């Protein structure tokens, strides 16, 4: 087989606030299919997935459950990795943001950005959304609520570190314009340019003092690193990046990533903040970020509070793993949201897998038995 070179792809890392549903598992099945396809084509593939384990939301969930945050995330990360294995996901690395080597690198990265002046200390006043861990200005709110999740926000002030986003904005705009394949599908590129980049990027608050469950800023106790600065760097720490110049051979071989596969709801973090963090570290940018649509349940977003959640393990018990993988891949176009119900999955399994493919295989075998003695010449 022809050697096509390396291919590094990643999924978003799953947030360990609870057991993921089939709408969350869609992405890993899609990524797995791409990884398998690239391997067959002759690429040297590295496929990374994992879990995003810090933040106030997890601290609160652990408190409610009466366990430590560490116990809480150990349990959920175990469930998530178990689901990947159940779905036959051929990942090469499962990274956890509580892994020691990841935490050490995030501290080094933060310190380096501070030392070179990309991060500075200031204070933040604004409207704060707890679930999103994001500050907003009054003008960014939508009907007085968080523009990302639509929940209530409250006024808050805290001393914090900020990242000078504006310093790199022009370079990022140029990169996006010169690399039309960088953000896909193209509709998401327009959204990022028009809503965030062209109006002017605000500096990003990259530390928190309102909770403890995060990676501490080692030179300023009481501050923990903003969960997105922590989480996004998994794509480089997982393959051996070192902020002090000691990156591994594996890192030198596989970075930059060929594909970051993510949900459309987190495209802003991946196409604006992440590339700018990489520019600050003087590392090349990933080749492509693909923001996929959602898999909906009865055409509504799946959520526990709505009670319309379907879990992959229930589906696999009933239909088998390949039927479930087939369904999510078949149902999901790349631009629009897909739909999942028990009835639709049963219908798809019966019509495509049993009637069409099953029938084809059955007839082919019968005829090869009848006319060729069961031997394919
Ligand atoms: Zn929010």
């Amino acid at each position: 087989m022809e050697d096509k070179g390396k291919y590094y792809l990643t999924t978003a890392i799953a947030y360990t606030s609870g057991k993921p549903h089939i709408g969350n598992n869609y992405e890993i099945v899609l990524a797995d299919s791409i990884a398998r396809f690239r391997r067959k084509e002759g690429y040297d593939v590295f496929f990374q997935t994992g879990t995003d384990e810090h933040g106030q939301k997890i601290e609160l969930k652990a408190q409610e459950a009466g366990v430590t945050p560490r116990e809480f995330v150990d349990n959920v990360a175990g469930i998530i990795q178990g689901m990947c294995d159940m779905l036959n996901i051929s990942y090469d690395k499962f990274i956890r943001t509580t892994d020691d080597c990841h935490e050490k690198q995030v501290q080094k990265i933060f310190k380096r950005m501070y030392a070179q002046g990309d991060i500075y200390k200031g204070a933040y006043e604004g409207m704060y959304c707890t679930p999103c861990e994001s500050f907003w200005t009054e003008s960014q709110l939508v009907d007085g609520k968080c523009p990302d999740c639509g929940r209530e926000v409250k006024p808050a002030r805290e001393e914090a570190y900020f990242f000078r986003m504006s310093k790199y904005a022009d370079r990022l705009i140029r990169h996006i314009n010169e690399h039309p394949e960088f953000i896909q599908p193209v509709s998401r590129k327009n959204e990022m340019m028009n809503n965030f980049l062209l109006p002017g990027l605000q500096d990003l608050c990259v530390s928190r003092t309102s909770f403890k469950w995060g990676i501490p800023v080692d030179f300023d106790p009481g501050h923990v690193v903003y969960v997105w600065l922590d989480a996004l760097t998994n794509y480089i720490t997982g393959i051996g990046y070192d902020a002090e110049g000691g990156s591994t051979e594996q890192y030198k071989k596989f970075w930059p990533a060929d594909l970051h596969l993510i949900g459309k709801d987190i495209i802003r973090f991946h196409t604006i903040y992440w590339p700018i963090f990489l520019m600050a570290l003087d590392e090349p940018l990933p080749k492509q970020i693909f923001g996929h649509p959602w898999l909906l349940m009865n055409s509504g977003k799946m959520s526990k509070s709505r009670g319309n959640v379907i879990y992959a393990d229930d589906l696999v018990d009933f239909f088998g793993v390949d039927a479930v993988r087939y369904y999510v891949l078949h149902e999901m176009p790349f631009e629009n949201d897909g739909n999942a119900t028990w009835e639709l999955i049963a219908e798809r399994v019966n019509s495509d897998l049993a009637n069409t493919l099953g029938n084809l295989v059955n007839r082919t075998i019968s005829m090869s038995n009848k006319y060729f003695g069961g031997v394919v010449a």
Side-chain angles (χ1 to χ4, degrees):
M1 196 160 47
E2 191 194 344
D3 179 14
K4 297 265 183 66
K6 67 90 187 175
Y7 190 87
Y8 177 34
L9 87 159
T10 67
T11 65
I13 47 177
Y15 200 52
T16 47
S17 57
K19 179 180 173 179
H21 54 65
I22 189 70
N24 305 131
N25 298 135
Y26 159 68
E27 178 176 303
I28 191 97
V29 175
L30 176 58
D32 183 59
S33 306
I34 296 169
R36 287 170 188 267
F37 180 69
R38 291 297 189 210
R39 286 188 202 112
K40 275 211 160 64
E41 282 190 307
Y43 286 93
D44 184 0
V45 171
F46 196 85
F47 172 20
Q48 178 166 296
T49 187
T51 42
D52 171 15
E53 307 192 0
H54 293 119
Q56 190 168 24
K57 195 165 152 189
I58 285 169
E59 192 175 84
L60 293 172
K61 289 243 173 191
Q63 230 166 48
E64 280 168 26
V67 296
T68 65
R70 181 77 215 196
E71 288 167 335
F72 188 85
V73 296
D74 281 349
N75 176 46
V76 180
I79 292 172
I80 291 171
Q81 190 165 9
M83 291 180 99
C84 287
D85 294 334
M86 176 196 65
L87 287 165
N88 281 341
I89 305 304
S90 60
Y91 57 84
D92 297 295
K93 165 110 182 174
F94 191 97
I95 188 173
R96 299 179 56 186
T97 57
T98 52
D99 288 344
D100 214 36
C101 51
H102 172 80
E103 295 197 340
K104 286 207 173 74
Q105 278 307 324
V106 170
Q107 290 181 321
K108 284 190 187 180
I109 288 168
F110 195 97
K111 199 188 278 176
R112 178 171 154 186
M113 288 171 168
Y114 180 71
Q116 64 193 31
D118 288 314
I119 287 177
Y120 63 93
K121 195 171 188 178
Y124 208 102
E125 269 178 276
M127 305 304 284
Y128 189 70
C129 174
T130 305
C132 295
E133 289 164 29
S134 295
F135 272 105
W136 303 101
T137 61
E138 292 283 351
S139 65
Q140 287 174 314
L141 301 179
V142 176
D143 299 327
K145 304 237 164 78
C146 171
D148 267 3
C149 73
R151 293 190 184 85
E152 296 287 341
V153 292
K154 55 175 196 264
R157 182 185 192 283
E158 65 180 56
E159 191 181 59
Y161 288 89
F162 291 85
F163 188 100
R164 289 184 212 281
M165 284 288 155
S166 50
K167 180 176 162 190
Y168 297 95
D170 287 344
R171 210 174 124 191
L172 180 59
I173 290 170
R174 212 162 47 239
H175 182 85
I176 292 172
N177 284 330
E178 285 168 6
H179 298 84
E181 73 292 349
F182 181 61
I183 305 178
Q184 288 291 323
V186 73
S187 56
R188 315 239 188 269
K189 172 198 148 183
N190 299 337
E191 194 185 321
M192 289 305 117
M193 281 297 236
N194 299 333
N195 297 355
F196 296 101
L197 282 169
L198 296 178
L201 269 188
Q202 298 198 343
D203 289 353
L204 179 71
C205 184
V206 289
S207 72
R208 298 288 186 270
T209 51
S210 49
F211 62 95
K212 293 257 173 290
W213 182 239
I215 300 175
V217 175
D218 54 359
F219 56 88
D220 195 349
H223 289 263
V224 296
V225 177
Y226 175 48
V227 71
W228 276 104
L229 178 55
D230 161 2
L232 287 164
T233 57
N234 92 84
Y235 300 131
I236 53 175
T237 64
I239 53 171
Y241 174 75
D242 177 38
E244 290 170 351
S247 299
T248 61
E249 285 308 311
Q250 185 190 42
Y251 177 79
K252 289 172 194 158
K253 175 178 171 185
F254 282 103
W255 191 258
D258 294 84
L259 175 65
H260 288 321
L261 189 65
I262 57 162
K264 63 182 180 180
D265 51 324
I266 54 173
I267 197 138
R268 176 164 56 95
F269 301 97
H270 283 79
T271 61
I272 297 178
Y273 304 148
W274 177 228
I276 286 179
F277 293 153
L278 287 166
M279 285 175 185
L281 295 172
D282 208 18
E283 292 295 320
L285 305 191
K287 292 179 191 162
Q288 184 166 83
I289 294 142
F290 192 101
H292 64 73
W294 284 328
L295 185 61
L296 305 176
M297 176 63 208
N298 284 324
S299 300
K301 194 177 177 186
M302 247 179 249
S303 75
K304 274 190 196 133
S305 53
R306 290 189 197 204
N308 63 354
V309 175
I310 299 181
Y311 293 104
D313 41 353
D314 294 332
L315 293 174
V316 167
D317 281 347
F318 194 79
F319 294 106
V321 64
D322 287 330
V324 173
R325 288 171 57 104
Y326 175 81
Y327 182 80
V328 295
L329 290 173
H330 176 279
E331 180 57 22
M332 293 296 282
F334 287 107
E335 293 261 7
N336 305 310
D337 292 334
N339 200 12
T341 66
W342 283 86
E343 291 79 6
L344 281 170
I345 300 171
E347 194 184 307
R348 188 57 57 201
V349 168
N350 288 337
S351 70
D352 291 12
L353 297 183
N355 293 347
T356 305
L357 285 172
N359 200 14
L360 174 71
V361 170
N362 186 39
R363 281 178 190 225
T364 307
I365 290 172
S366 314
M367 284 201 275
S368 73
N369 280 336
K370 192 168 168 189
Y371 302 115
F372 300 104
V375 177
V376 180

